[in-house]
């Protein structure tokens, strides 16, 4: 449909001919308030509107009333819910509330002009305002505005988040609605609300968004898709949560398809529309972004700590096809002293490439247990690819179909990164406990052999025309990655003791099951820049750990066969070293000796990665019990510096390191140093912050990395083949002061 630039059509999805059976109902001033068991219930009447883009009341229809519920959790979280049909999900797979997060009772007081809602400590939590705008009558050219609802929320008792009561040009021309719902053919179908946005307010998060740091001016679809790269609107990981520079977060608790319009359809409002009959929203306050993200994790769960070996180098490509090929590569890495911990087998370990049957090819991998054991003895862990769809030709198809372990569908799963010729008969149904256990059994056979990690690929798309055990497909679609990854994570931890997967898709709550990577990026400067943008927003969406394919997934312009330039390989390696996890993967040769002009440079960076693992472990541990991710947008540490709101090509790596990847073939870039005193990690040069370093020349073997002056960084003082060789009793701490030099990192 062509854009009309009218909110009713472009955001609320009304048919432009107004003949799709939709009718709008708008909230009016509340009529009643009461307290029940510490919750506040506010009765709100809704007025039907005439079937027109001119928003006028249909006074022939009686009003319908619904209750808005307010519930406080702790001191900084306010849950705002209204049900138009159905019921609120008090628990869900998305929620994993911290034991410390308790419901705080609310009370209310009535005055002539307002209802004041407070918590048990006397903190203001909401105000329902009945005062009318002041007028000085001059003309009746336009009628007075319709009745509306004016509620202000104070999640942390201080900062106001208010509904957009009057976002309009004239009484009949609206750009946002404070609170409304849409009936389709006489039944509640979808709902919307909007909160006021300030002119200089910025928005971030919403998942792995391949966009500028400030998302204001964008309307975002909360619907997972195969991203097919990292330079478009599509994304594998939509998270219905945003964080505002006004210091609040908004989490839409739903699995339904939804939209966020962040100062886009109206620059005065941040709007939410959900294809559901329940609006269930958590407002999260805090004085810092970390506090807000901590509150979000208190609701949806904290990341668990990945194992030590996962922080080493992972080597992969699409794909290795035999045990001999893998052994040759692994032996060469050891012989030539490239440190590495994980060898990943992508689609080629099956009997037929891409035909996922969870079994090794007997000819090319004749003794998988011995193969895995020998690799482990050589310091390598084995990771395996698979996906959650059953093909018609798969060995498991009959069993899965007859036992209803998969959905029933006549259509094929779509997605341009499905490079197989397989027709997928159904999606494994993780809403059915027996199907989940069956799937876990398939993985257990592999984990019992010694495999340590499952690549939980895909999951963004399911059969939407099919039936599932206990959810409708439109409600299951977004949360499917969470159910899928939870199953893979649980069986992996049960068998191996290590909680880890390698996953591409995500929804709210999936941060509990690390780790996630950035999908199918192009081996280009655009792909590198887009990957970092996605990682920054992902870290502002509750996730602690995130990685990406080094040096990009697919070649350009020839998808499988274009040669990767040396400088992209090096620059992406540098970015990988300063990411929570580093994995080489893609459609072309990835092993460094295929790039002989830069192979020695790559080895140096890999050795540096292992030197930094103690610091990465320290920062990763912090990510499991705070609101911090490992890779952080600069705004998390400099909220008063408006410059950093718009910087998406630099980031904090943990609390003490500032990283500015070079993402162009010119070997130069501008670098912004925020407030503070900084030491160049490689040269030891000291800089005062709050300045731009313009057009800095950065030779290919170097990278701009700065450390906070006075910081102590734990490092491992020796080169190793893998993390198996690391004795953490030998870790040393290097102080970054006037006596620092890079020799202290590399001298051992």
């Amino acid at each position: 449909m062509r854009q009309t630039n009218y909110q009713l059509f472009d955001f609320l999805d009304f048919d432009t001919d107004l003949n799709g059976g939709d009718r709008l109902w708008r909230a009016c001033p509340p009529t009643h308030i009461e307290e029940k068991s510490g919750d506040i219930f506010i009765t709100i009447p809704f007025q039907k509107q005439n079937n027109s883009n001119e928003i006028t009341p249909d006074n022939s229809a009686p009003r319908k009333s619904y209750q808005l519920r307010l519930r406080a959790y702790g001191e900084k979280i306010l849950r705002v819910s209204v049900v138009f049909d159905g019921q609120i999900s008090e628990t869900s797979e998305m929620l994993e509330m911290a034991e410390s997060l308790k419901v705080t009772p609310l009370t209310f007081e009535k005055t002539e002009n307002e209802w004041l809602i407070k918590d048990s400590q006397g903190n203001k939590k909401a105000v329902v305002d009945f005062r009318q705008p002041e007028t000085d009558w001059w003309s009746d050219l336009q009628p007075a505005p319709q009745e509306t609802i004016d509620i202000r929320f104070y999640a942390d008792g201080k900062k106001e988040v208010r509904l957009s009561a009057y976002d309009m040009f004239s009484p009949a021309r609206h750009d946002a609605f404070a609170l409304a719902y849409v009936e389709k053919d006489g039944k509640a179908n979808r709902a919307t609300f909007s909160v006021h946005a300030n002119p200089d307010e910025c928005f971030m998060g919403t998942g792995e968004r391949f966009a500028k740091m400030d998302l204001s001016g964008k309307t975002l679809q909360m619907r997972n898709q195969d991203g097919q790269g990292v330079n478009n609107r599509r994304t594998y990981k939509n998270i219905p949560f945003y964080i505002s520079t006004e210091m609040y977060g908004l989490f839409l608790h739903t699995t339904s398809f939804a939209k966020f319009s962040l100062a886009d359809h109206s620059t005065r409002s941040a709007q939410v529309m959900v294809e559901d009959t329940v609006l269930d929203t958590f407002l999260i306050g805090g004085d810092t972004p970390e506090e807000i993200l901590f509150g979000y994790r208190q609701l949806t769960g904290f990341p668990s700590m990945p194992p030590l070996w996962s922080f080493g180098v992972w080597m992969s490509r699409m794909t290795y096809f035999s045990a001999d090929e893998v052994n040759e590569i692994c032996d060469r890495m050891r012989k030539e002293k490239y440190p590495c911990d994980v060898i990943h087998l992508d689609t080629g370990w099956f009997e037929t490439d891409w035909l996922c049957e969870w079994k090794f090819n007997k000819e090319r991998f004749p003794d998988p247990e011995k193969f895995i054991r020998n690799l482990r003895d050589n310091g390598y862990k084995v990771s395996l690819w698979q996906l959650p769809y059953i093909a018609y030709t798969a060995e498991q198809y009959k069993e899965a179909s007859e036992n209803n372990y998969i959905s029933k569908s006549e259509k094929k799963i779509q997605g341009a990164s499905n490079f197989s010729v397989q027709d997928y008969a159904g999606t494994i149904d993780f809403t059915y406990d027996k199907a989940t256990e069956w799937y876990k059994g398939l993985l257990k056979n592999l984990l019992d052999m010694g495999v340590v990690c499952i690549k939980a690929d895909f999951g963004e798309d399911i059969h939407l025309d099919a039936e599932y055990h206990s959810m409708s497909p439109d409600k299951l679609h977004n949360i499917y990655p969470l159910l899928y990854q939870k199953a893979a994570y649980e069986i992996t931890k049960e068998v191996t003791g290590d909680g880890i997967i390698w996953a591409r898709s995500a929804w709210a709550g999936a941060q509990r099951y690390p780790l996630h990577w950035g999908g199918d990026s192009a081996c280009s400067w655009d792909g590198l820049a887009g990957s970092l943008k996605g990682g920054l927003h992902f870290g502002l969406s509750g996730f602690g750990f995130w990685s990406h394919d080094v040096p990009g997934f697919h070649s350009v312009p020839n998808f499988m066969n274009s040669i990767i330039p040396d400088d992209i390989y090096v620059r992406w390696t540098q970015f990988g070293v300063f990411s929570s996890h580093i994995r080489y993967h893609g459609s072309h040769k990835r092993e460094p000796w295929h790039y002989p002009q830069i192979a020695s440079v790559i080895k140096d960076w890999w050795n540096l990665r292992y030197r930094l693992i103690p610091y990465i472990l320290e920062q990763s541990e912090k990510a499991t019990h705070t609101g911090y991710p490992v890779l952080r947008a600069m705004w998390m540490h400099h909220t008063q510096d408006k410059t950093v709101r718009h910087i998406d090509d630099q980031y904090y790596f943990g609390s003490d390191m500032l990283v500015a990847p070079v993402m162009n073939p010119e070997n130069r870039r501008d670098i912004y140093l925020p407030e503070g005193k900084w030491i160049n990690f490689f040269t030891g040069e000291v800089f005062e912050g709050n300045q731009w370093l313009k057009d800095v020349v950065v030779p290919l073997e170097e990278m701009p990395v700065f450390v906070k002056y006075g910081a102590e960084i734990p490092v491992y003082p020796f080169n190793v083949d893998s993390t198996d060789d690391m004795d953490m009793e030998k870790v040393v701490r290097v102080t970054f002061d006037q006596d620092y030099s890079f020799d202290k990192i590399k001298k051992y």
Side-chain angles (χ1 to χ4, degrees):
M1 182 177 71
R2 292 182 178 179
Q3 282 194 346
T4 67
N5 293 327
Y6 287 102
Q7 189 257 15
L8 191 74
F9 305 125
D10 296 346
F11 188 65
L12 294 187
D13 292 337
F14 274 66
D15 188 287
T16 53
D17 294 329
L18 295 170
N19 60 5
D22 294 327
R23 294 296 292 270
L24 178 69
W25 290 75
R26 291 186 55 205
C28 301
T31 57
H32 182 68
I33 185 171
E34 61 182 322
E35 180 268 331
K36 296 179 183 177
S37 302
D39 293 345
I40 298 297
F41 291 84
I42 300 172
T43 302
I44 301 173
F46 286 76
Q47 177 66 59
K48 190 177 186 180
Q49 304 298 301
N50 285 307
N51 193 26
S52 169
N53 192 32
E54 298 284 336
I55 308 300
T56 56
D58 179 359
N59 292 316
S60 67
R63 293 182 173 182
K64 297 181 180 181
S65 291
Y66 299 93
Q67 287 193 320
L68 182 146
R69 188 189 74 179
L70 298 180
R71 174 178 290 176
Y73 294 85
E75 298 179 352
K76 298 182 179 181
I77 299 175
L78 185 66
R79 189 174 189 175
V80 183
S81 312
V82 59
V83 177
F84 301 103
D85 190 18
Q87 61 184 11
I88 297 172
S89 297
E90 298 296 350
T91 61
S92 76
E93 287 287 351
M94 290 170 284
L95 298 179
E96 187 175 273
M97 293 195 183
E99 292 184 5
S100 60
L101 194 62
K102 306 296 183 184
V103 173
T104 302
L106 298 174
T107 60
F108 67 90
E109 301 172 6
K110 282 186 175 183
T111 65
E112 181 179 354
N113 293 317
E114 67 179 28
W115 296 343
L116 174 63
I117 294 97
K118 296 182 177 180
D119 66 15
S120 55
Q121 304 300 315
N123 299 307
K124 178 169 58 176
K125 289 294 179 178
V127 172
V128 183
D129 196 337
F130 293 96
R131 288 171 295 186
Q132 296 300 305
E134 294 185 6
T135 58
D136 180 9
W137 188 88
W138 175 71
S139 171
D140 58 3
L141 179 65
Q142 288 287 318
Q146 284 192 59
E147 294 179 272
T148 187
I149 184 170
D150 191 341
I151 302 182
R152 294 104 191 275
F153 304 107
Y154 304 85
D156 63 354
K158 297 178 292 185
K159 289 183 288 295
E160 177 183 278
V161 179
R162 64 183 173 91
L163 295 182
S164 295
Y166 296 102
D167 193 337
M168 61 193 189
F169 168 68
S170 69
R173 281 294 183 189
H174 288 255
D175 294 316
F177 298 102
L179 180 61
Y181 74 98
V182 178
E183 283 186 347
K184 189 173 187 66
D185 300 327
K187 294 183 178 181
N189 177 264
R190 54 196 185 274
T192 185
F193 70 92
S194 62
V195 297
H196 177 73
N198 288 327
D200 64 345
E201 187 172 354
C202 299
F203 303 90
M204 305 169 197
T206 76
E208 189 185 38
R209 198 64 57 187
F210 309 123
K212 294 291 186 182
M213 202 70 255
D214 176 17
L215 296 176
S216 60
K218 291 185 177 294
T219 296
L220 306 167
Q221 303 283 338
M222 295 295 114
R223 178 171 180 154
N224 284 345
Q225 290 179 270
D226 184 338
Q228 301 164 17
V230 298
N231 297 103
N232 57 68
R233 290 184 179 184
R234 298 178 297 274
T235 184
Y236 314 91
K237 310 173 187 67
N238 287 278
I239 309 300
F241 168 84
Y242 71 75
I243 187 168
S244 164
T245 53
E246 292 298 308
M247 289 304 159
Y248 77 92
L250 187 151
F251 169 44
L252 178 66
H253 178 221
T254 188
T255 69
S256 298
F257 302 136
K259 296 181 188 179
F260 285 176
S261 177
L262 303 175
D264 181 17
H265 285 285
S266 167
T267 61
R268 295 174 290 215
S269 298
Q271 305 183 55
V272 173
M273 191 275 282
V274 60
E275 296 180 21
D276 202 347
T277 57
V278 176
L279 270 176
D280 190 16
T281 303
F282 292 85
L283 295 172
I284 307 166
D287 295 327
T288 66
E290 187 275 331
E291 285 186 21
I292 295 167
L293 289 167
F294 179 79
Y296 174 76
R297 289 178 177 174
Q298 282 185 301
L299 292 169
T300 60
F302 289 81
S304 61
M305 183 68 179
L308 168 63
W309 55 260
S310 73
F311 295 98
V313 172
W314 298 47
M315 181 51 66
S316 173
R317 68 162 85 160
M318 194 182 82
T319 176
Y320 302 129
F321 284 105
S322 72
D324 289 343
E325 182 184 20
V326 171
N327 288 329
E328 180 181 353
I329 289 168
C330 290
D331 288 344
R332 183 167 180 177
M333 279 193 286
R334 289 289 180 259
K335 181 180 179 180
E336 298 185 13
K337 293 297 181 182
Y338 288 97
C340 184
D341 266 81
V342 183
I343 191 75
H344 171 73
L345 279 62
D346 220 56
T347 65
W349 62 280
F350 303 121
E351 191 70 29
T352 302
D353 188 21
W354 279 93
L355 179 55
C356 179
E357 296 177 303
W358 293 274
K359 291 185 177 181
F360 280 90
N361 181 293
K362 295 178 182 178
E363 292 184 3
R364 292 182 280 112
F365 296 90
D367 191 343
E369 291 92 340
K370 182 180 179 181
F371 164 71
I372 295 168
R373 184 171 60 253
N374 289 344
L375 286 171
R376 180 180 286 273
D377 291 343
N378 201 13
Y380 292 103
K381 314 297 187 293
V382 173
S383 166
L384 294 180
W385 179 92
Q386 49 85 78
L387 81 177
Y389 315 129
I390 303 294
Y392 287 105
T393 55
E395 175 185 314
Q396 295 87 1
Y397 169 65
K398 183 178 180 182
E399 178 189 11
S401 179
E402 290 178 351
N403 289 281
N404 297 316
Y405 295 153
I406 58 173
S407 60
K408 306 282 188 178
S409 177
E410 299 300 322
K411 294 184 179 180
K412 179 183 176 183
I413 292 285
Q414 299 299 313
S417 63
N418 171 15
F419 306 112
S420 76
V421 294
Q422 304 301 327
D423 288 332
Y424 292 118
T427 309
I428 298 176
D429 187 356
F430 292 106
T431 72
Y432 183 31
D433 56 352
K434 292 183 179 179
T436 301
E437 291 307 310
W438 174 77
Y439 169 75
K440 286 183 175 181
L442 297 174
L443 299 191
K444 186 176 185 300
N445 292 334
L446 301 169
L447 296 164
D448 285 340
M449 292 181 184
V451 172
V452 297
C453 182
I454 299 299
K455 181 177 176 180
D457 204 356
F458 291 86
E460 305 88 0
D461 295 312
I462 65 170
H463 286 91
L464 286 172
D465 63 330
E467 290 187 2
Y468 295 83
H469 185 266
S470 57
M471 288 186 79
S472 61
D474 59 318
K475 297 295 188 290
L476 174 61
H477 179 275
N478 281 333
I479 201 174
Y480 186 84
L482 175 63
L483 305 180
Y484 166 36
Q485 292 159 23
K486 178 183 179 184
Y489 176 95
E490 286 180 343
I491 189 61
T492 301
K493 186 166 180 66
E494 177 186 324
V495 175
T496 71
D498 290 332
I500 188 171
I501 54 173
W502 190 275
R504 190 174 76 173
S505 53
W507 189 250
Q511 73 273 4
R512 304 192 297 262
Y513 312 115
L515 59 104
H516 295 77
W517 99 97
D520 297 341
S521 53
C523 303
S524 66
W525 301 113
D526 297 325
L528 176 54
S531 294
L532 177 53
K533 288 180 173 72
L536 292 176
H537 282 295
F538 201 49
L540 288 166
S541 304
F543 287 74
F545 304 98
W546 172 83
S547 189
H548 43 90
D549 287 342
V550 181
F553 173 71
H554 69 90
S555 303
V556 286
N558 188 306
F559 193 95
M560 299 295 293
N561 304 304
S562 289
I563 296 173
I564 301 169
D566 284 357
D567 54 355
I568 288 179
Y569 192 102
V570 172
R571 294 304 189 191
W572 213 311
T573 289
Q574 294 166 347
F575 175 37
V577 167
F578 290 92
S579 300
S580 82
H581 290 77
I582 176 171
R583 185 185 77 151
Y584 288 74
H585 181 67
S587 63
H588 202 268
K589 298 171 182 176
R590 290 296 181 266
E591 300 78 25
W593 49 81
H594 294 295
Y595 307 84
Q597 299 302 314
I598 57 169
S600 63
V601 175
I602 299 304
K603 186 184 298 183
D604 288 342
W605 282 97
W606 286 18
N607 282 323
L608 176 60
R609 170 70 182 193
Y610 280 79
R611 301 263 174 149
L612 291 174
I613 281 179
Y615 173 75
I616 298 169
L617 288 172
E618 191 175 83
Q619 299 301 316
S620 296
E621 182 64 36
K622 184 180 294 185
T624 66
H625 58 83
T626 67
Y628 285 120
V630 175
L631 190 148
R632 309 173 190 171
M634 292 173 67
W635 175 68
M636 289 198 73
H637 289 280
H638 303 279
T639 57
Q640 300 306 309
D641 186 342
K642 289 191 176 182
T643 298
V644 302
R645 298 180 179 185
H646 306 281
I647 293 179
D648 52 33
D649 61 354
Q650 297 182 197
Y651 60 94
Y652 268 84
F653 186 55
S655 300
D656 299 314
M657 288 185 166
L658 182 67
V659 182
V662 176
M663 297 187 287
N664 61 68
E666 287 78 35
N667 292 324
R668 57 180 69 228
R669 64 160 295 157
D670 296 341
I671 301 166
Y672 182 69
L673 294 179
E675 183 179 9
K677 197 172 182 179
W678 298 91
I679 291 184
N680 186 302
F681 181 76
F682 294 102
T683 69
E685 187 177 359
V686 179
F687 295 85
E688 290 295 333
N690 199 24
Q691 66 161 314
W692 281 97
L693 306 179
K694 290 289 189 176
D695 202 28
V696 178
V697 176
V698 187
L700 186 60
E701 66 274 9
E702 298 179 10
M703 181 189 193
V705 178
F706 300 85
V707 182
K708 287 181 180 178
Y709 190 92
E712 285 190 355
I713 301 294
V715 299
Y716 196 75
F718 307 107
N719 289 345
V720 295
D721 285 339
S722 73
T723 56
D724 286 356
D725 299 336
M726 298 179 76
D727 177 359
M728 291 305 174
E729 296 297 321
K730 297 178 180 178
V731 169
V732 298
R733 301 190 75 87
V734 176
T735 301
F736 285 76
D737 56 17
Q738 67 277 2
D739 297 323
Y740 169 77
S741 72
F742 186 57
D743 288 340
K744 293 186 177 182
I745 303 291
K746 66 178 184 179
K747 69 178 181 179
Y748 296 94

